[in-house]
Amino acid sequence: MTKQLDEKEQEVIEQCGTEKPFSSDLLDIEKEGVFKCKKCGQELFDSETKYKSGTGWPSFWDTLEDAVKKQPDGRRTEVICSNCGAHLGHVFNDGPEDKTGKRYCINGIALEFEK
Ligand SMILES: [Zn+2]
């Protein structure tokens, strides 16, 4: 099932854009649930791994198993949906040290939250 994306969603998800910081309504969501790929619906992140990074983008310290693929993007590492290839964001090595040490910096517009 592929969702019809609007123009803003296409810009981020299909053209590797970046949403404006602090623009996502998923940024401060603290409910329990799962974050899915907006394009194909694959489950990507558990709310338990979400944390406040202060960067302005929804941040996670881990992904669900095999949910994403990583590929080099200049000096950064791009994170894409392993099912449909949607651009999600980037992963950095400055995440919480008591967890994985990873910071998945994800565009909220590429995600859909399900309680
Ligand atoms: Zn997907």
Side-chain angles (χ1 to χ4, degrees):
M1 185 197 78
T2 303
K3 192 180 169 246
Q4 193 62 40
L5 302 173
D6 70 26
E7 217 168 282
K8 262 189 156 175
E9 292 168 343
Q10 279 177 10
E11 201 184 306
V12 171
I13 296 168
E14 293 178 340
Q15 293 159 39
C16 299
T18 301
E19 71 188 9
K20 283 205 188 92
F22 301 101
S23 70
S24 172
D25 55 0
L26 296 181
L27 186 58
D28 293 320
I29 202 163
E30 285 179 356
K31 294 181 185 132
E32 276 179 40
V34 64
F35 294 85
K36 297 176 162 190
C37 173
K38 190 171 265 178
K39 193 171 174 186
C40 75
Q42 170 158 274
E43 297 188 351
L44 302 173
F45 300 96
D46 191 294
S47 60
E48 278 186 20
T49 63
K50 189 172 186 293
Y51 75 105
K52 284 192 195 313
S53 67
T55 57
W57 290 278
S59 302
F60 304 86
W61 48 261
D62 204 0
T63 72
L64 293 173
E65 210 177 335
D66 300 324
V68 306
K69 284 185 190 158
K70 298 172 196 172
Q71 55 189 32
D73 175 19
R75 288 164 55 197
R76 302 185 297 178
T77 302
E78 185 188 3
V79 177
I80 63 174
C81 171
S82 68
N83 181 50
C84 74
H87 172 76
L88 303 171
H90 291 88
V91 59
F92 302 93
N93 291 319
D94 57 2
E97 277 173 23
D98 57 332
K99 307 289 187 192
T100 58
K102 301 282 183 205
R103 172 170 60 94
Y104 290 85
C105 183
I106 304 300
N107 292 294
I109 201 171
L111 300 175
E112 199 135 80
F113 179 70
E114 194 174 280
K115 265 204 281 186

